[in-house]
Structure formats: structure tokens, C-alpha cells
């Protein structure tokens, strides 16, 4: 499996690339008043409004930094929803068999989207499960997309 | 796209452009003895990191927002390919699957008492004798004034092209081979209706390759007229 590897405050994470449509630089986002704090805003992605989730807010509980290296990952869920994710410090791609990722048995209801861990040259990389992450926030997102599309 | 994004000026000591591999100043950087190339040096990668860690300007955000709000331009893959070559001052092409090989110019052994002017003789290609004909003669074109050779910055080399069609192979010399090009069917435009000479009948369409108008030749018609000229 091919993963997108990124670094948030010196912790390594990986995203399964099969959901990724495109990686764009940081763009102007339309802010959504009174929305959850992990919603960074709405992006005009090729003519369609796409909600953008701030992954640093979810994982680190801080706002993303507006750097040259900050990127928006446009992803498409299996149900067809398009969602953008803001991440910092993309390090590249890694190819690892699924068997390299080990279940650590540490689960929390709040972080069900954090998946298995692999070790790549002594560095531990944790998978962020996109579908779970988005499903976690989905009820909010669908209503958001409807209001944005209207 | 790049010039639309105005970067905030950042003070970076670009030593690699002065005492490094991209500069000519002396004394040379001492680190080069160890790292050999600047791209292996930590100063170089740190500077790169610094650029990526730069805060963004509002302009950057709005510029990229404009770019991504537009429809994505689909790059078309190009489903067909052709070998583009030059005869005199004009460019022609044959479909790639008809091309057997392109070789350097070889001696042509003329055939005595041959009446056909298109037939040049026999050529030894990898130990096999193949019939060589002048495609320029078939198309009714001459070597021309060789304007392209005079104005081009590059030296061009004459080549011999081996083509095959329906299990028959022929060789023809060309002034220059540009290379293989990929295109889609809708890239081909109809040949100009005003072309009155023989060229038009052999041309299936025109293709634009690097600002050159390339005539796509009809393989079947060319082979038929070669065979007729051999009789």
C-alpha cells in the first residue's frame, strides 16, 4: 500500500493514498461562522464547494500554521463525498505492505481514526484512517456541504 | 504558474551560487571536499526547509485559490504515435507501427536498366538486401533550398528509414529524423484544399509538431505506388 507520510510536531503520520484526489497548496478559504473549530473553512475546488478539515486541530488541538509547506489534501470518500484536509510538513510517499502495520491495541473512542503503527528506520508512523476520521465528523459535514451547495 | 505566486523575500545566504557547485568564486567551499555536491550539504537542505517554513502572503493564498477554482485542464495522453522526418524543406510522418528501423545512410547499389526514377536501388540493412526508393520522387518534392538546415542551430543528419506494410519492407533516405511524436485523432487537421500537386493525395492530414506543419502520409497509397513503380 502507498501512504502519504507527514509530520505534525515531530510525530509521524501516514494517510492511505487511495482516497487522495489531489494535493493543493494552501488557498483562501471561506470561513463558516459558528462551525466546529476543526472546520478550517470551505474551499472552491474546481467550481464545487468542498469542506476543509484542519487535521492539526484534530490531532494536536492547535490551528495549522500558514506556511509554504502547508497543503490541502483533496480526498474522495467511498460514498462520493469530497473533503479537504489541511496537513503540514508532507515528507513524501512510503510504500509499505499492510502486514508492516501493527495494531497497538490502544483505542480510544475519541480517536478511533488513529490506526496501526509501522516502524520505518526506527521512526514510528501511525496511520490516520480517513474514512473513520471523516465519518466521525460526517453528520456535521453533510449538513455543511448542503448549506454550501445551496 | 510560478510567476503568479509572489514570494516574500527571505534572506538566505545562497553560498551554493558563489562558492559552491553553481558558483565560480574562489576560495571554494571547504565542505565540498566532504559532501562532493551542494545538494548533499546540510546548509543547502536547511535553506530549502527555510523556504518551505516561510509564512504565506495573502497574495499567495488568493492566487492559488483562483487557480484551483478553475476547471482542471485535462492533459490528453495521445493515443497514436508517428515518426516525423524531413524531406528537403518539408516535414512528413509515418505511423510508428510501420517503422522497422532508422539507420544511418548506407551505400545504395543502383540497379542497371531500371526505368523507374523512384527506385533508387538496393541497400544492405543488417545483411539483408532491401529495395530503396526515393519518397521525395513519389511525392513530387525536391531537396529544396534546405532553408531549415541553413537556419537551424543544430546540425541535421541524413538517415535511412525502413518501413514495412503487409509483410513488405522498403527503405528510403530522409534529410533528417525529428523523432517520434504522440497525438490524438482530433489533433489532425485536414490538408489544405488548395494543394493541387501530388502531395495532397498521399496526405491523410496535417499535424502540428513543435511549430512545424507535418503531413501525415497514407501508408497504403505510398506502398501501392512503390509497387507500381517497381513493375
Amino acid at each position: 500500500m502507498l501512504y502519504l507520510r507527514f509530520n505534525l510536531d515531530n510525530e509521524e503520520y501516514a494517510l492511505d493514498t487511495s482516497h487522495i484526489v489531489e494535493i493543493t497548496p494552501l488557498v483562501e478559504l471561506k470561513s463558516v461562522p459558528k462551525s466546529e473549530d476543526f472546520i478550517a473553512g470551505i474551499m472552491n475546488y474546481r467550481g464545487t464547494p468542498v469542506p476543509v478539515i484542519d487535521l492539526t486541530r484534530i490531532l494536536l488541538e492547535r490551528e495549522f500554521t500558514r506556511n509554504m509547506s502547508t497543503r490541502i489534501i483533496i480526498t474522495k470518500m467511498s460514498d462520493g463525498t469530497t473533503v479537504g484536509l489541511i496537513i503540514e510538513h508532507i515528507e513524501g510517499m512510503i510504500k509499505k505492505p499492510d502486514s508492516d502495520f501493527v495494531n497497538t491495541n490502544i483505542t480510544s473512542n475519541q480517536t478511533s481514526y488513529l490506526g496501526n503503527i509501522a516502524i520505518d528506520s526506527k521512526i514510528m508512523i501511525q496511520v490516520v484512517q480517513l474514512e473513520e476520521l471523516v465519518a466521525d465528523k460526517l453528520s456535521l459535514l453533510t449538513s455543511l456541504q448542503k448549506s454550501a451547495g445551496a | 504558474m510560478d510567476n503568479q505566486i509572489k514570494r516574500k523575500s527571505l534572506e538566505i545566504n545562497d553560498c551554493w551560487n558563489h562558492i559552491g557547485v553553481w558558483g565560480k568564486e574562489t576560495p571554494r567551499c571547504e565542505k565540498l571536499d566532504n559532501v562532493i555536491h551542494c545538494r548533499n550539504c546540510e546548509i543547502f537542505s536547511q535553506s530549502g526547509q527555510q523556504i518551505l517554513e516561510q509564512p504565506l502572503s495573502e497574495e499567495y493564498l488568493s492566487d492559488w485559490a483562483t487557480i484551483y477554482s478553475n476547471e482542471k485542464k485535462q492533459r490528453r495522453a495521445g493515443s497514436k504515435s508517428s515518426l516525423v522526418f524531413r524531406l528537403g524543406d518539408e516535414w512528413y510522418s509515418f505511423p510508428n507501427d510501420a517503422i522497422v528501423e532508422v539507420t544511418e545512410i548506407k551505400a545504395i547499389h543502383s540497379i542497371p536498366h531500371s526505368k523507374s526514377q523512384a527506385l533508387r536501388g538496393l541497400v544492405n540493412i543488417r545483411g539483408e538486401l532491401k529495395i530503396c526508393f526515393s519518397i521525395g520522387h513519389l511525392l513530387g518534392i525536391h531537396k529544396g533550398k534546405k532553408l531549415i538546415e541553413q537556419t537551424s542551430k543544430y546540425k541535421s543528419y541524413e538517415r535511412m528509414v525502413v518501413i514495412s506494410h503487409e509483410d513488405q519492407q522498403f527503405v528510403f533516405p530522409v534529410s533528417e529524423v525529428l523523432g517520434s511524436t504522440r497525438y490524438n485523432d482530433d489533433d489532425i487537421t485536414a490538408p489544405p484544399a488548395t494543394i493541387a500537386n501530388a502531395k495532397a493525395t498521399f496526405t491523410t492530414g496535417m499535424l502540428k509538431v513543435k511549430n512545424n506543419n507535418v503531413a501525415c502520409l497514407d501508408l497504403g497509397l505510398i506502398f501501392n505506388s512503390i509497387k507500381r513503380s517497381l513493375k
Side-chain angles (χ1 to χ4, degrees), chain B residues 106-117:
Chain B
K106 300 209 155 92
I108 302 171
H109 304 278
S110 58
I111 302 169
H113 302 294
S114 159
K115 281 175 193 141
S116 165
Q117 283 187 299

Side-chain angles (χ1 to χ4, degrees), chain A residues 21-28 43-48 66-71 89, chain B residues 5 7 49 51-56 58 60-62 64-65 67-72:
Chain A
V21 181
E22 194 171 359
I23 298 178
T24 75
L26 198 60
V27 300
E28 258 176 352
M43 173 188 180
N44 179 349
Y45 174 66
R46 311 213 180 275
T48 32
R66 287 160 200 275
N67 278 349
M68 269 311 207
S69 59
T70 309
R71 293 283 182 270
H89 306 288
Chain B
I5 301 141
R7 296 198 169 116
Q49 200 84 33
I51 289 170
L52 284 170
E53 300 291 295
Q54 244 188 119
L56 294 176
E58 289 299 317
Y60 177 97
L61 295 177
S62 60
W64 279 113
I67 290 166
Y68 279 98
S69 60
N70 295 329
E71 279 289 305
K72 191 173 188 175

Side-chain angles (χ1 to χ4, degrees), chain A residues 78-149:
Chain A
S78 39
D79 65 350
T81 338
T82 310
V83 177
L85 286 175
I86 294 186
I87 60 175
E88 300 171 351
H89 306 288
I90 295 183
E91 294 184 329
M93 297 291 187
I94 46 164
K95 216 175 199 170
K96 268 197 178 299
D98 282 347
S99 53
D100 279 17
F101 288 89
V102 182
N103 189 354
T104 51
N105 292 319
I106 303 171
T107 47
S108 151
N109 284 340
Q110 283 185 310
T111 58
S112 55
Y113 44 82
L114 284 179
N116 299 347
I117 293 184
I119 297 179
D120 186 66
S121 53
K122 293 184 183 168
I123 298 168
M124 282 194 267
I125 307 166
Q126 186 158 34
V127 172
V128 177
Q129 286 166 321
L130 261 179
E131 296 262 25
E132 273 83 350
L133 181 106
V134 175
D136 208 35
K137 326 282 176 191
L138 195 72
S139 57
L140 193 117
L141 282 175
T142 41
S143 61
L144 189 78
Q145 226 173 15
K146 268 174 203 156
S147 60

